[in-house]
Amino acid sequence: MAERRCLKALRSATISLVTNVPAPEESTTGDALWPVDAALGAAARLTRIAGGIGRAVVSSAPAQVVIDATRTITQPLTEEGQMLREGSPETGTPGLAAVVREVSPAVVDLVDIDAIVDQIDIDAIIAHVDIDAIIRRVDIDAILQRVDIAAIMDRVDVNAIVQRVDIDALMTQTELGSIIAESTSGVATQALDTVRSQGVGLDGFVARWANRLVRRDAAALPPGPPLLVGQPRALPPGDAS
Amino acid sequence: MTVTAPSNFESDVSLQGHYAGAATRTAAFALDQTVATVVYALATALVAWLIDLVVGPDYTIEPHQGVAGVIFVLWLFVYYAYPWSVSGKTLGMAVLGIRVVQRDGSPTTARNGVIRTLVLPITFLTLGIGFLPILFGRERRALHDTAGGTAVVYDWNARAARLRFLARQQPREREPHR
């Protein structure tokens, strides 16, 4: 227990030393740890003083002479280290970077990614995501303005869609039929439809008997005026060859 | 005798614009004659009442039969010639869903309407022979059609009628069975 407290105090003191930010509260309080805190505070102050002295020394002219001399002396070692890091094209020796690139895939293959993924609770992560906030940040209007509706409509074959619509099913299975029925289901309309349909049926009956009397093929007759039903047949059906 | 059921609008759709048959044309003509006669009778009764109102009950008016006949014929001429010239259909034809067109299917003109109306009585005077081409002619044109350069075709919107029929079936099919 005491070791853990010491570690916490040491961590806080280190953070404070590096960042110049006041240390967390656990390092500033606690009567039992005052010797440790005092020691750490002294060490931190000494470190700051030493750092200032070091920077002053390093920036001085004699120190620069010493540094340059050291750099000159260690030049062969520097070149050999650089060669080791980057590799030598003359000897074909690969550099450390190349070695790492070669070795990395094999190392990655050794890692069981699936096992790692299995340990991750995706649902928990998703639960933390605020979808509404994300959607609020999306500018739908801007996206829609970039969509060329006309181009999309040009690519849609409306006629083909209409051809696929089953009008009969539409009328019998949807409310559209009820709407039409309510608007046109007057007694007069029904009576007219019935009378006309009966008349057409009776016309067909009479015409069949008339054609039978004169032994004439009804299919050879023109169905109606050319402007209303198209051009009349030049030849009866079957003789067009 | 087989007559097309009222619900059989399927075949009627394909008959739109085709030459109308004898039964429909006869029914339309009968309806037109009835309407024309009733209107004429009502009009003469109204005129007689107005005259009686003006001159009083002491005077009795005996209309000349010849004059009344001429007026009736003139009325019939107007009744048929005007709609045939303007819209191609009389009241009876509109009810039965047929229309007079020119032989090629284009709308009728005043000339077509007037000639057709004038020749119509002659068709009757042939003792019905003038009507036989409606049954046996290739284009079902009676004598007055041939003279006026006209033909009679189906004109009612059978497709709309079929949709109305289907729409009427829907509530019936959805009724719960008792």
Side-chain angles (χ1 to χ4, degrees):
Chain A
M1 195 68 178
E3 290 176 359
R4 180 178 289 181
R5 287 179 180 174
C6 289
L7 285 174
K8 281 185 178 180
L10 182 61
R11 187 187 63 189
S12 301
T14 305
I15 292 171
S16 174
L17 177 66
V18 173
T19 61
N20 272 334
V21 173
E25 60 183 9
E26 59 261 33
S27 66
T28 58
T29 58
D31 295 336
L33 292 175
W34 70 266
V36 176
D37 293 341
L40 287 172
R45 189 162 297 179
L46 284 173
T47 303
R48 278 200 296 274
I49 293 169
I53 295 170
R55 278 193 295 273
V57 170
V58 167
S59 60
S60 65
Q64 286 296 320
V65 171
V66 172
I67 290 171
D68 291 342
T70 306
R71 183 173 293 171
T72 303
I73 293 168
T74 58
Q75 182 67 27
L77 297 174
T78 304
E79 290 176 355
E80 190 172 344
Q82 185 179 2
M83 188 181 298
L84 179 64
R85 181 166 53 84
E86 298 179 352
S88 173
E90 297 173 356
T91 60
T93 306
L96 283 176
V99 171
V100 170
R101 280 197 297 270
E102 288 290 328
V103 173
S104 295
V107 174
V108 170
D109 288 341
L110 292 174
V111 178
D112 188 354
I113 301 294
D114 293 335
I116 296 172
V117 171
D118 289 342
Q119 292 183 15
I120 299 173
D121 189 353
I122 302 293
D123 294 333
I125 295 172
I126 293 174
H128 281 86
V129 177
D130 188 352
I131 300 293
D132 293 335
I134 295 172
I135 291 174
R136 277 195 297 271
R137 294 178 63 179
V138 176
D139 190 352
I140 301 292
D141 292 335
I143 295 172
L144 289 177
Q145 284 179 357
R146 296 177 63 182
V147 176
D148 189 353
I149 300 293
I152 295 172
M153 292 304 295
D154 288 342
R155 295 178 65 181
V156 176
D157 189 352
V158 177
N159 291 327
I161 295 172
V162 171
Q163 290 293 329
R164 294 176 63 183
V165 175
D166 186 350
I167 297 295
D168 291 358
L170 191 68
M171 295 298 298
T172 55
Q173 297 175 12
T174 67
E175 296 301 318
L176 183 63
S178 298
I179 294 169
I180 294 177
E182 288 172 2
S183 61
T184 61
S185 61
V187 176
T189 305
Q190 291 188 38
L192 277 181
D193 291 344
T194 303
V195 168
R196 289 168 175 175
S197 186
Q198 291 278 16
V200 170
L202 200 55
D203 287 339
F205 172 78
V206 174
R208 280 194 298 275
W209 274 102
N211 290 332
R212 193 174 297 176
L213 281 176
V214 297
R215 296 180 179 179
R216 183 176 57 187
D217 183 11
L221 300 174
L227 288 180
L228 298 179
V229 297
Q231 296 297 319
R233 296 186 185 92
L235 293 171
D239 295 342
S241 59
Chain B
M1 177 176 164
T2 304
V3 177
T4 305
S7 61
N8 188 15
F9 293 102
E10 188 71 46
S11 59
D12 302 349
V13 174
S14 61
L15 288 175
Q16 208 165 4
H18 289 203
Y19 293 119
T24 300
R25 292 179 63 169
T26 303
F29 181 75
L31 182 58
D32 279 327
Q33 279 299 112
T34 304
V35 171
T37 305
V38 168
V39 170
Y40 177 77
L42 290 175
T44 53
L46 179 65
V47 170
W49 179 74
L50 287 173
I51 292 174
D52 186 61
L53 196 67
V54 172
V55 300
D58 297 337
Y59 298 92
T60 304
I61 298 174
E62 291 291 338
H64 193 275
Q65 292 296 321
V67 174
V70 169
I71 293 174
F72 183 59
V73 170
L74 284 174
W75 159 241
L76 288 179
F77 175 81
V78 172
Y79 180 87
Y80 285 105
Y82 180 75
W84 281 346
S85 303
V86 175
S87 62
K89 50 189 168 188
T90 58
L91 178 64
M93 297 176 87
V95 171
L96 270 296
I98 57 178
R99 183 164 68 104
V100 179
V101 295
Q102 291 193 48
R103 188 181 179 185
D104 61 355
S106 55
T108 53
T109 63
R111 180 174 179 275
N112 298 127
V114 169
I115 295 177
R116 191 173 197 271
T117 308
L118 291 175
V119 179
L120 179 59
I122 300 174
T123 308
F124 278 97
L125 292 176
T126 58
L127 301 177
I129 295 174
F131 291 107
L132 289 180
I134 296 176
L135 291 174
F136 303 109
R138 289 176 54 84
E139 298 175 345
R140 300 187 181 183
R141 300 170 70 206
L143 180 61
H144 51 282
D145 285 318
T146 305
T150 59
V152 181
V153 297
Y154 294 114
D155 189 48
W156 60 298
N157 192 344
R159 185 177 298 279
R162 183 166 184 275
L163 292 177
R164 284 194 294 268
F165 168 74
L166 291 171
R168 284 195 294 269
Q169 300 307 302
Q170 181 193 15
R172 197 175 303 169
E173 290 173 356
R174 287 187 175 179
E175 277 182 1
H177 297 288
R178 295 177 181 177

